[in-house]
Amino acid sequence: MFRPLVAAAAAALTVLGLVAAPASATPEAAPPKPAPAAPQAAAAAQTLTWTGTDSTTEYGIEPTSAVAGQTTIVFENSTATGNTTGMPHTLTFDRSTPGYNHDVSLNILANPFDANNGRHEATVTLTPGKYRYYCTIPGHSTMAGEFTVTNGGGGDTTPPTVSAQVTGTQNTEGDYVGSATVTINATDTESGVDTVEYQLDGGAWTPYTAPVVVSAAGDHMLHYRATDVEGNASPDGMVSFSVVEEGNEDTTPPTVTAEVSGEQDAEGNYVDSATVTVTATDDGSGVALVEYEIDDTGFHAYTGPVTVTEPGDHTVQFRATDAAGNESQTGSVPFRVVEGGEEDTTPPTVTAEVSGEQDAEGNYVDAAVVTLSASDQGSGVASVEYQLDGGAWTAYTGPVTVNTAGAHMLHYRATDVAGNASPEGMAHFTIVEQDTTAPTVSATVVGQQDAEGNYVGSALVTLSASDEGSGVDTVEYSLDGGPWTRYSQAVQVSAAGEHTLAYRATDLAGNTSAQGSESFTVVEDPNEDTVAPSVSAVVTGDQDASWNYLDTATVTISALDVDSGVASIEYKLDDGAWTAYTEPLSVGEGSHTVWYRATDNAGNVSAELSGSFTVVAANNDACPDSDTRATVIIGYENTFIANVDTGNGCTINDLIAEDAEYETHNAFVRHVKQVTRNLVTTGVLLSVERDIIVRAATRSDIGTNGANAA
């Protein structure tokens, strides 16, 4: 049976929903005008104008302010506005960056030669707050700005709502190890948030632009406030926390992964939308910042799952930075979104381009390369095919090289996911033969050698080919008489014994070189890793007197290999399948057996080990003699916060336990901070309620010289 061990708690990442704006779409149709109603104050009617020029860094004209209500948007990118090159621009409203209104979907593509001669209009309804706009054309990323919308009547007298959350790695006393990160969120449903400020440890008020990282060891208090566009200021809020020094400097970047979810069709495309969830962990100083970008449009702070709705192929990139400043590598997830609901009846568009060296008559010398391109704005391209000189239709996977002399016809077509097939296209070209010289090809064998010239452990064979005529098309090799294989990278041979690697090359004109070969011998490495990794597992969690785990148990598996290093860890829970282990397992009620094993980089696999344990439901009433006073009271101070049941039969007063013994007053305050922090996380308390309780604990004399005021 496993014995309980204390497990480090993983930092939780608070997420909020985000919706990504379409990258290319027509502007929303204007909503229908409402029927006449009884006379009342008229909604703000206005026109906002943007213009495009030859510049790729800024719009010609752009607004800075507006009033709430129905608004006509004019975007003109024409010769009249200074565009003399026919350059396209877009006017796109940002619907994902935090801090801006996301309720208007606007994405207008305009150029002087489009059907509207570059002038487009759309009708939208603006609400109080700030909007961000930008151009989505690659290379035009600095064409961006923002404008503020007020309610126009000066009737907003309600201040913003503002809150703060502290995150980071904590020790058992609730102190933050190395650093703490404070994230402030402010909202205003009327005129909109104008400014957010914070004050750290009594210092100057500072504009809040990004999460505040506090790394100085000691106790800290961070006050915060917000002001809306009409000048209404919120009451000051406050969070208090302690930072302690960490034992070792954190030099390891966070681990960050992403998962794509949503409804998928039979081809794996996401129907109508795809949601990307990014997860980051850091066992050192803790995750400070997670960022993402959609289709190379610029990185944004990640605060919650990102939803992409525009049909087409997309890539979301992501990265994370910890509190010590270590940044992870940038990861990416590709996916395709297709439209659902309305049936796609439009076939794809497909084109062909023929390239190669040509003579004076336009014939292609020795070889021609045909490249096909297909696109589909509906359900997406499912397949592209070609037919050469009346042969069979063949799936197109890359450029087609034709090197037979004579006239040729290459037909091509594409089919989308909805089954619509494009009309057949045709490319006609003629090849004349000129290159009759085969390529030259050589091989180089490298690796650690012993006194006899044998390669120890493995040999690495590199092939090189050149052709001064039509150019090299393919390089192939055959190891020890095996099948010919296309060469793409150096060939590593690790099997002990004598070996012969044959090789050859073919140029674009179809000339094949004479076959070459290299012979060599590989012997075993006397220092080869033949020892399997060691692997262990621990189960942690709250336990009863019979060593059963209460509600859940956490299984943590670790492995060590001092030679080649651990390659993978696997586990099997009860009768389940073997699964790659990536993070601690949370296991619910029941009797369980977990099997586990590890493999090192040399391929050695450990013995399969196992452990058994039982998880039972916890007693729902953990505090039978509960403190049921109506409000939370600390010492002589009534906080007027409701003393509610926290979910297991214990009230907030029970958990604060003011009558318990504490070595010092600070020990009591730390206890209250930890208890109320957990209650905020579980939704029992609001952050502002927690601040009131912590202040009451700070002002009390509980724990001072052992005095616990009742």
Side-chain angles (χ1 to χ4, degrees):
M1 174 180 292
F2 291 114
R3 292 302 186 219
L5 295 177
V6 176
L13 177 63
T14 301
V15 297
L16 301 172
L18 289 178
V19 179
S24 177
T26 57
E28 286 187 343
K33 294 183 178 179
Q40 58 182 3
Q46 63 192 327
T47 298
L48 300 182
T49 301
W50 284 259
T51 64
T53 67
D54 290 336
S55 173
T56 62
T57 61
E58 59 185 357
Y59 292 94
I61 297 174
E62 51 192 353
T64 59
S65 63
V67 294
Q70 193 173 87
T71 302
T72 298
I73 301 293
V74 175
F75 179 41
E76 183 171 359
N77 180 31
S78 67
T79 55
T81 63
N83 190 329
T84 62
T85 63
M87 181 186 303
H89 297 299
T90 77
L91 174 63
T92 304
F93 274 31
D94 190 331
R95 298 190 67 192
S96 62
T97 302
Y100 295 98
N101 291 359
H102 300 148
D103 55 355
V104 173
S105 176
L106 185 75
N107 194 3
I108 302 174
L109 172 65
N111 70 74
F113 308 117
D114 63 27
N116 294 336
N117 296 320
R119 191 179 192 280
H120 299 261
E121 290 188 7
T123 301
V124 301
T125 299
L126 302 178
T127 56
K130 288 185 178 180
Y131 290 84
R132 178 178 179 271
Y133 55 87
Y134 61 97
C135 179
T136 63
I137 302 297
H140 299 195
S141 59
T142 61
M143 292 181 64
E146 64 181 39
F147 64 95
T148 301
V149 177
T150 63
N151 62 14
D156 179 10
T157 60
T158 304
T161 300
V162 60
S163 62
Q165 182 184 27
V166 186
T167 57
T169 301
Q170 293 176 272
N171 59 21
T172 55
E173 284 78 32
D175 301 321
Y176 290 86
V177 180
S179 68
T181 299
V182 184
T183 302
I184 303 174
N185 293 297
T187 59
D188 189 275
T189 58
E190 295 187 39
S191 60
V193 175
D194 186 27
T195 62
V196 180
E197 300 173 289
Y198 71 93
Q199 178 193 64
L200 179 62
D201 298 333
W205 284 98
T206 304
Y208 174 84
T209 58
V212 181
V213 178
V214 182
S215 55
D219 294 329
H220 299 280
M221 294 177 62
L222 187 143
H223 288 79
Y224 52 90
R225 65 189 182 192
T227 305
D228 64 20
V229 174
E230 292 294 332
N232 302 300
S234 71
D236 292 357
M238 187 271 289
V239 288
S240 57
F241 52 93
S242 297
V243 176
V244 295
E245 294 181 351
E246 54 188 336
N248 299 307
E249 182 181 359
D250 179 12
T251 59
T252 304
T255 299
V256 59
T257 59
E259 180 179 6
V260 185
S261 59
E263 179 187 353
Q264 292 178 272
D265 61 20
E267 286 73 32
N269 304 309
Y270 290 87
V271 180
D272 289 332
S273 68
T275 299
V276 181
T277 302
V278 183
T279 303
T281 59
D282 188 272
D283 293 331
S285 56
V287 176
L289 175 66
V290 181
E291 299 172 285
Y292 76 96
E293 71 169 4
I294 303 173
D295 298 333
D296 298 319
T297 56
F299 276 93
H300 304 286
Y302 175 88
T303 58
V306 179
T307 300
V308 181
T309 58
E310 183 199 2
D313 292 317
H314 299 281
T315 298
V316 169
Q317 299 192 87
F318 50 91
R319 64 192 182 196
T321 305
D322 64 20
N326 302 301
E327 183 176 293
S328 71
Q329 293 184 338
T330 300
S332 64
V333 285
F335 55 90
R336 172 180 291 167
V337 176
V338 297
E339 291 183 343
E342 296 184 2
E343 183 180 0
D344 177 11
T345 59
T346 304
T349 300
V350 59
T351 59
E353 180 182 2
V354 184
S355 60
E357 180 187 352
Q358 292 179 274
D359 61 18
E361 286 75 34
N363 302 312
Y364 289 88
V365 179
D366 295 322
V369 177
V370 184
T371 302
L372 304 182
S373 300
S375 62
D376 187 89
Q377 298 299 318
S379 55
V381 176
S383 65
V384 180
E385 300 173 289
Y386 71 92
Q387 180 193 63
L388 179 62
D389 298 332
W393 283 97
T394 304
Y396 176 82
T397 58
V400 180
T401 300
V402 183
N403 51 31
T404 304
H408 299 279
M409 289 193 300
L410 187 142
H411 289 79
Y412 50 90
R413 64 190 182 192
T415 305
D416 63 19
V417 173
N420 303 300
S422 70
E424 292 181 11
M426 189 268 288
H428 179 271
F429 51 93
T430 299
I431 296 174
V432 294
E433 190 174 62
Q434 180 173 310
D435 179 9
T436 59
T437 303
T440 58
V441 60
S442 61
T444 303
V445 185
V446 297
Q448 179 185 350
Q449 293 178 276
D450 60 17
E452 286 77 33
N454 302 313
Y455 290 89
V456 179
S458 67
L460 193 68
V461 185
T462 302
L463 303 182
S464 299
S466 61
D467 188 89
E468 296 181 355
S470 56
V472 176
D473 185 23
T474 61
V475 180
E476 300 172 291
Y477 70 92
S478 169
L479 179 62
D480 298 332
W484 285 97
T485 304
R486 192 182 189 96
Y487 175 83
S488 59
Q489 60 183 1
V491 181
Q492 184 169 10
V493 182
S494 302
E498 297 180 352
H499 299 281
T500 298
L501 187 141
Y503 52 89
R504 65 190 181 193
T506 303
D507 63 19
L508 289 168
N511 304 299
T512 301
S513 70
Q515 180 177 305
S517 66
E518 283 286 343
S519 296
F520 52 91
T521 300
V522 175
V523 296
E524 293 183 353
D525 186 350
N527 298 317
E528 182 182 2
D529 178 11
T530 59
V531 179
S534 59
V535 61
S536 62
V538 294
V539 182
T540 56
D542 295 332
Q543 292 179 281
D544 60 19
S546 301
W547 299 101
N548 298 313
Y549 292 89
L550 302 178
D551 291 332
T552 61
T554 299
V555 181
T556 303
I557 306 173
S558 57
L560 175 67
D561 189 274
V562 297
D563 293 324
S564 58
V566 176
S568 64
I569 302 175
E570 298 173 288
Y571 73 92
K572 180 174 70 172
L573 182 62
D574 300 329
D575 295 326
W578 283 100
T579 304
Y581 174 83
T582 58
E583 60 184 0
L585 316 175
S586 181
V587 184
E589 292 181 34
S591 296
H592 302 284
T593 298
V594 61
W595 298 80
Y596 48 96
R597 64 191 182 193
T599 304
D600 63 20
N601 287 304
N604 303 300
V605 182
S606 71
E608 295 177 4
L609 303 178
S610 66
S612 299
F613 56 94
T614 300
V615 180
V616 297
N619 185 348
N620 290 329
D621 190 359
C623 299
D625 299 321
S626 185
D627 180 345
T628 57
R629 286 178 288 178
T631 58
V632 176
I633 298 174
I634 300 178
Y636 296 107
E637 183 172 346
N638 187 342
T639 67
F640 296 100
I641 303 299
N643 182 35
V644 298
D645 189 313
T646 61
N648 61 351
C650 295
T651 65
I652 297 175
N653 278 332
D654 291 332
L655 299 183
I656 289 175
E658 62 177 349
D659 293 328
E661 294 295 330
Y662 299 95
E663 292 183 0
T664 64
H665 176 64
N666 285 341
F668 171 67
V669 174
R670 283 197 300 269
H671 167 72
V672 173
K673 288 180 180 178
Q674 181 62 55
V675 166
T676 54
R677 181 182 297 110
N678 293 338
L679 295 179
V680 170
T681 301
T682 57
V684 175
L685 285 176
L686 299 174
S687 294
V688 66
E689 294 174 324
R690 175 181 182 259
D691 293 341
I692 294 171
I693 294 173
V694 170
R695 284 197 293 268
T698 303
R699 290 193 290 263
S700 76
D701 61 357
I702 297 174
T704 303
N705 297 325
N708 293 357

